């Protein structure tokens, strides 16, 4: 299978690395308006062409599927264009910047008869997958309170698009949406959600938010995202229940760490890495490629991504209005 | 109160903290644990024997014999016992929560003010060196302007009357909101304006909430989350619970884990892990400060009003949990109960 990668930022590279580790899969082209020298070199190593636009990639007849790793507000246009070009698609999360965009994307994909996967990769992080399985199997009894936190440094990228809430959706759409997706996957539909956050009142590089979620099942959850951790990615996960408590934190479970002399290099987009032979991005990509080639569907669907987006946008709305958001029973 | 030894009485051993207080009092130089009163005679007699002191079957006899009392009764009975101490003009340190209703707390504050005796609320966490270090950092500007706060005060389900809505006045929210509430007010020197809460009963077959998540807003729009759940497994968790705060400011993040100082004991015989604290005894630090204030006739280090404000937050949280919307908190006026 031949893949085009649209977007040559950090996530474009992460997905290309995963693709390069899968047999019978080849990255044949990158499409990006801007590409760094190191990415250009990496493309050369992969034997991939570097093209100036998404359209140039989608016009290529030898491209069977594309990875969309462009800024959030461009997901819609690129995915719709890719669907019309008959390509299967793995789109980075969040699916889109708005619900309208996301719904239009799902429609375009259905109309074109192509497959759309969305990079809710946390479902492939082994600790999150294990915790999900333990809850679903009932090992915790009745789930009581789930807690997720996700912290990293502010993602500094060349055109600084994360700083524009209208483009990125801030920390809620970048970080918390991972946990909203995991929580919904694990505990089912949400009844109500209330959030407080800094999205509309702090510098974008200090964005942070906290949400309280009540699921229709009666389980409660607390979710938090923050860009105030410049020293690196950190996550915590906890679920209590009538039969016990599970906890999984990134601190103390990193089997290889370094403490290096301070450098002045600016951090880009923080991506949690290390300590596994098959990293979560590779696990996700294997599932996605298998699905594209006729296998079973991956752990999250386009509809799941739409619902995660609905919760995340609900959190933004709630923090803006100061009121909780109530969700329809069908969700 | 000029005698060389300050005479202290403990009123009721219903609360789990009473034995800790008795033990700490006996360690403090210049303090005598004069006696214990309890409406449950057997419990009172046993406690008196265990702590080498006298059991007083009649409360007024104990009040006549001491310089101060500590009330460690069930939450809902704090009021009547504090009023009795006020009537006897005995300074009183009351276990948290100060009361189960705002009006009760107000009456207690007012009665002690009228009687001219100190009323203190037992918030020992203020005496944590880590908490004091955080307060200094925040007030000294080390974190810049505080943007948001994540707090937890989770615990094991304490059992017994804590699950009785009448005697406890609620569940996890009533038990575990007030410590962090007090820290927020004390560190940031602001009052609460709003609270939102979701509560549920998920861990235990009980008649009160054991799951409690709060979003708290303080003056100036500063917000904090609090997990007040009884969500630590009673048998398997290595320690009673926690008090933690993570503070995000414009120039950095501070983390406090008040009860992080433990020796980890992998107990093979019992097949479980236990965390044995080597941290400061916060109860003792609190009691030392209390007896100092009583001896010197100084204001209560942590006042009845501090207790009242924390109760207002807990009551507001229950209102929010019922109405599913944020509740605006109006601070009860301290002269309103006259």
């Amino acid at each position: 299978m031949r893949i085009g990668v649209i977007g040559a930022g950090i996530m474009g590279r992460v997905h290309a690395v995963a693709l390069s580790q899968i047999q019978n899969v080849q990255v044949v082209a990158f499409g990006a308006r801007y590409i760094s020298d190191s990415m250009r070199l990496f493309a050369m190593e992969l034997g991939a062409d570097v093209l100036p636009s998404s359209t140039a990639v989608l016009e290529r007849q030898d491209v069977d599927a594309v990875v969309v790793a462009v800024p959030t507000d461009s997901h819609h246009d690129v995915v719709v264009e890719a669907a019309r070009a008959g390509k299967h698609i793995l789109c980075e999360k969040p699916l889109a910047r708005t619900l309208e965009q996301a719904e239009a994307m799902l429609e375009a994909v259905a109309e074109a008869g192509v497959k759309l996967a969305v990079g809710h990769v946390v479902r492939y992080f082994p600790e999150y997958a294990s915790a999900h399985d333990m809850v679903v199997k009932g090992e915790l009894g009745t789930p009581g309170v789930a807690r997720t936190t996700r912290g990293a440094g502010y993602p500094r990228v060349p055109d600084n698009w994360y700083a524009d809430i209208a483009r990125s959706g801030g920390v809620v759409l970048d970080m918390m949406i991972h946990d909203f997706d995991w929580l919904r996957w694990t505990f089912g539909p949400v009844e109500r959600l209330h959030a407080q956050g800094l999205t509309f009142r702090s510098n974008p590089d200090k964005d942070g938010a906290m949400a309280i979620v009540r699921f229709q099942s009666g389980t409660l959850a607390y979710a938090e995202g923050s860009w105030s951790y410049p020293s690196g990615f950190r996550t915590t996960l906890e679920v209590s229940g009538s039969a016990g408590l599970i906890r999984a934190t990134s601190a103390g479970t990193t089997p290889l760490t370094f403490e290096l002399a301070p450098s002045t290099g600016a951090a880009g987009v923080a991506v949690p890495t290390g300590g596994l032979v098959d990293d979560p991005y590779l696990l996700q990509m294997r599932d996605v490629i298998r699905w594209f080639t006729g296998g079973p569907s991956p752990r999250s669907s386009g509809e799941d991504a739409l619902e995660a987006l609905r919760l995340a946008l609900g959190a933004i709305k709630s923090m803006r209005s100061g009121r909780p958001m109530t969700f329809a029973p069908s969700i | 109160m000029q005698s060389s030894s300050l005479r202290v009485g403990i009123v009721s051993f219903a609360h789990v903290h009473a034995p800790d207080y008795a033990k700490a009092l006996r360690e403090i130089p210049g303090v005598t644990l004069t006696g214990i009163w309890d409406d449950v005679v057997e419990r009172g007699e046993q406690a008196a024997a265990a702590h080498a002191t006298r059991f007083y079957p009649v409360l007024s006899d104990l009040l006549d014999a001491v310089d101060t009392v500590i009330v460690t009764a069930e939450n809902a009975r704090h009021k009547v016992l504090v009023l009795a101490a006020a009537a006897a003009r005995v300074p009183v340190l009351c276990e948290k929560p100060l009361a189960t209703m705002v009006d009760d707390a107000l009456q207690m504050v007012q009665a002690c003010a009228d009687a001219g005796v100190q009323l203190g609320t037992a918030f020992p966490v203020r005496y944590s060196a880590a908490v004091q270090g955080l307060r200094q950092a925040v007030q000294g500007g080390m974190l810049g302007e505080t943007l948001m706060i994540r707090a937890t005060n989770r615990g094991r389900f304490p059992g017994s009357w804590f699950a009785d809505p009448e005697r406890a006045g609620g569940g996890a929210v009533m038990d575990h909101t007030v410590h962090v509430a007090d820290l927020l007010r004390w560190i940031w020197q602001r009052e609460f304006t709003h609270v939102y809460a979701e509560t549920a009963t998920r861990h235990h077959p009980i008649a009160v909430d054991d799951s409690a998540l709060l979003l708290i807003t303080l003056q100036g729009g500063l917000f904090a989350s609090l997990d007040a759940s009884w969500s630590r497994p009673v048998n398997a968790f290595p320690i009673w619970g926690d008090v933690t705060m993570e503070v995000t400011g414009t120039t950095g993040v501070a983390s406090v884990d008040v009860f992080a100082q433990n020796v980890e004991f992998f107990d093979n015989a019992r097949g479980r892990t236990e965390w044995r604290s080597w941290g400061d005894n916060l109860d003792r630090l609190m009691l030392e400060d209390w007896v100092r204030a009583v001896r010197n006739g100084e204001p209560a280090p942590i006042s009845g009003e501090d207790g009242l404000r924390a109760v207002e937050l807990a009551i507001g949280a229950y209102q929010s949990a019922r109405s599913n919307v944020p509740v605006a908190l109006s601070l009860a006026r301290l002269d309103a109960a006259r």
Side-chain angles (χ1 to χ4, degrees):
Chain A
M1 178 161 242
R2 287 149 307 176
I3 313 290
V5 176
I6 298 171
I10 301 279
M11 290 318 297
R13 185 189 184 103
V14 166
H15 289 307
V17 168
L19 287 162
S20 73
Q21 293 172 265
I22 301 175
Q23 278 199 336
N24 303 320
V25 169
Q26 203 195 345
V27 179
V28 294
F30 284 90
R33 269 181 298 213
Y34 166 84
I35 188 161
S36 68
D37 290 344
S38 74
M39 270 304 277
R40 197 176 287 279
L41 194 69
F42 180 57
M44 231 159 74
E45 285 169 24
L46 293 179
D49 297 328
V50 174
L51 306 174
S53 67
S54 56
T55 309
V57 175
L58 294 169
E59 279 170 351
R60 288 265 298 249
Q61 293 305 307
D62 63 335
V63 168
D64 304 309
V66 291
V67 170
V68 177
V70 296
T72 298
D73 59 323
S74 301
H75 285 184
H76 168 268
D77 290 358
V78 176
V79 166
V80 168
E81 189 186 5
R84 289 183 184 148
K87 317 289 190 193
H88 296 313
I89 304 150
L90 168 62
C91 179
E92 242 321 305
K93 50 57 46 181
L95 177 56
R97 177 60 185 85
T98 69
L99 277 182
E100 295 69 28
Q101 289 173 343
E103 281 160 0
M105 290 156 78
L106 295 190
E107 261 171 50
V109 163
E111 238 167 66
V114 297
K115 292 171 179 170
L116 170 66
V118 184
H120 280 295
V121 71
V122 166
R123 296 191 186 201
Y124 289 90
F125 274 71
E127 68 272 44
Y128 286 83
S130 291
H132 168 86
D133 288 346
M134 290 172 75
V135 171
V136 169
K137 281 183 194 148
E139 288 190 68
L140 287 181
T142 305
V145 181
R147 295 180 63 85
T148 64
T149 68
R150 187 167 297 273
Y154 170 71
R156 291 190 195 283
V157 293
D159 70 344
N160 201 27
W161 63 271
Y162 282 99
D164 184 351
I165 301 305
R167 297 188 65 192
S168 70
V171 80
V172 177
L173 284 203
D174 181 48
M175 303 274 284
M176 283 173 87
I177 196 164
H178 278 301
D179 296 303
F180 283 136
D181 176 65
W182 184 87
L183 289 164
R184 196 189 141 268
W185 183 42
T186 306
F187 301 107
V190 167
E191 180 182 334
R192 191 165 52 243
L193 174 160
H194 184 39
Q196 289 262 32
L198 305 169
T199 303
F200 301 104
R201 45 192 225 186
S202 167
N203 290 334
D205 65 349
K206 291 282 172 223
D207 198 6
M210 25 183 76
I212 292 177
V213 183
R214 176 183 283 272
F215 295 87
Q216 285 173 21
S217 64
T219 296
L220 305 183
Y222 172 77
E224 181 183 308
S226 171
W227 279 337
S228 283
Y229 296 87
S231 65
F233 223 92
R234 71 200 59 199
T235 60
T236 65
L237 169 66
E238 177 183 308
V239 186
S240 65
S242 59
L245 171 74
I246 52 177
R247 246 183 356 195
T249 72
S250 57
T253 59
T254 309
L256 174 63
T257 61
F258 299 96
E259 186 74 29
L260 302 175
S263 85
T264 51
V269 179
V271 180
T273 51
L276 294 167
V277 172
D278 291 344
D279 77 68
Y281 298 92
L282 175 57
L283 296 175
Q284 171 179 256
M285 191 61 83
R286 275 207 196 109
D287 260 20
V288 168
I289 295 293
R290 206 171 50 187
W291 183 44
F292 287 170
T293 52
S297 47
R299 289 183 193 167
S300 82
S301 67
E303 285 71 22
D304 290 328
L306 173 69
E307 294 310 325
L309 181 65
R310 199 188 301 279
L311 296 178
L313 292 173
I316 292 175
K317 214 167 172 179
S318 171
M319 79 165 77
R320 206 161 201 187
S321 67
R323 308 284 295 178
M325 295 287 296
T326 302
F327 296 89
S330 60
I331 294 163
Chain B
M1 262 168 255
Q2 297 305 315
S3 61
S4 58
S5 189
L6 191 89
R7 299 164 301 162
V8 183
I10 295 181
V11 174
S12 174
F13 259 62
H15 199 282
V16 291
H17 291 160
D20 300 333
Y21 294 162
K23 195 162 168 280
L25 283 168
R26 293 176 63 204
E27 290 171 5
I28 301 173
V31 168
T32 305
L33 179 56
T34 301
I36 291 164
W37 172 87
D38 200 315
D39 59 320
V40 180
V41 172
E42 198 188 341
R43 185 172 63 200
E45 285 176 345
Q46 278 173 6
H51 299 284
T53 188
R54 192 177 144 193
F55 175 67
Y56 283 76
V58 178
L59 177 60
S60 58
D61 290 346
L62 177 68
L63 292 171
D64 286 342
V66 296
D67 301 312
T68 178
V69 286
I70 297 160
V71 169
T72 34
E74 300 89 340
N75 300 343
R77 301 183 65 239
H78 288 173
K79 177 185 155 190
V80 61
L81 298 169
V82 166
L83 294 185
R89 304 205 180 270
V90 173
V92 53
L93 175 64
C94 184
E95 181 54 51
K96 61 86 210 169
L98 186 61
T100 57
M101 283 180 278
V102 173
D103 194 52
D104 285 358
L106 261 175
Q107 285 182 46
M108 293 157 73
V109 170
Q110 208 58 62
C112 289
D114 290 347
V117 297
Q118 299 104 314
L119 169 61
T121 310
F123 287 137
V125 189
R126 275 201 203 184
Y127 293 90
S128 154
V131 167
Q132 293 178 356
L134 173 68
R135 183 169 186 257
Q136 219 165 16
V138 167
Q139 296 186 351
M142 188 196 273
L143 300 176
E145 183 198 341
T146 302
L147 297 172
M148 64 180 193
I149 302 151
R150 168 174 84 239
T152 65
N153 183 194
R154 299 166 293 191
R156 297 172 180 153
F157 167 49
S160 77
W161 59 266
F162 284 89
D164 176 356
E166 291 297 314
R167 284 181 287 174
V173 167
M174 189 51 76
D175 189 32
H176 273 181
T177 296
V178 291
H179 281 300
V180 168
D182 181 62
L183 296 184
L184 292 173
R185 289 183 65 249
W186 186 56
I187 296 171
W188 281 275
Q189 301 282 303
R190 304 183 202 192
E191 298 295 347
F192 306 120
T193 62
H194 294 82
V195 61
Y196 177 81
E198 292 281 359
T199 64
T201 305
R202 307 286 291 174
H203 304 83
H204 308 282
I206 53 177
V208 294
D209 52 293
D210 61 21
S211 308
L213 295 173
L214 283 68
L215 281 175
I216 300 161
T217 314
L218 294 97
Q219 289 164 341
L222 178 61
F223 59 89
S225 68
L226 171 63
D227 186 340
S229 306
W230 287 332
S231 54
R232 309 297 89 177
V234 172
N235 297 321
F237 204 67
I239 193 169
W240 63 270
D242 67 13
V243 175
T244 72
M245 293 182 116
E246 186 135 313
V247 181
T248 301
T250 49
T251 59
V253 176
S255 298
V256 172
D257 183 351
V258 174
F259 298 99
Q261 292 155 307
N262 302 292
V263 170
E264 214 170 2
F265 175 28
F266 299 93
D267 185 341
N268 204 41
R270 289 191 302 154
R272 57 177 282 186
T273 304
E274 192 183 327
W275 292 349
R276 295 258 178 101
S277 171
W278 52 263
D280 288 326
N281 182 342
L282 305 184
D283 291 338
R284 177 172 166 169
L285 293 167
M286 173 184 75
L287 292 168
E288 279 173 348
D289 205 22
W290 172 253
V291 298
R292 181 195 53 74
V294 170
R295 199 189 291 278
N296 300 337
E298 292 172 8
I302 304 173
S303 69
E305 185 186 349
D306 292 329
L308 162 69
R309 298 303 173 214
V311 168
E312 285 175 330
L313 186 73
I315 297 296
Y318 278 123
Q319 287 169 353
S320 170
R322 279 193 302 272
S323 62
N324 301 327
V325 291
V327 166
L329 297 169
S330 54
L331 304 181
R333 285 166 53 93
L334 287 176
D335 54 0
R338 276 185 201 274

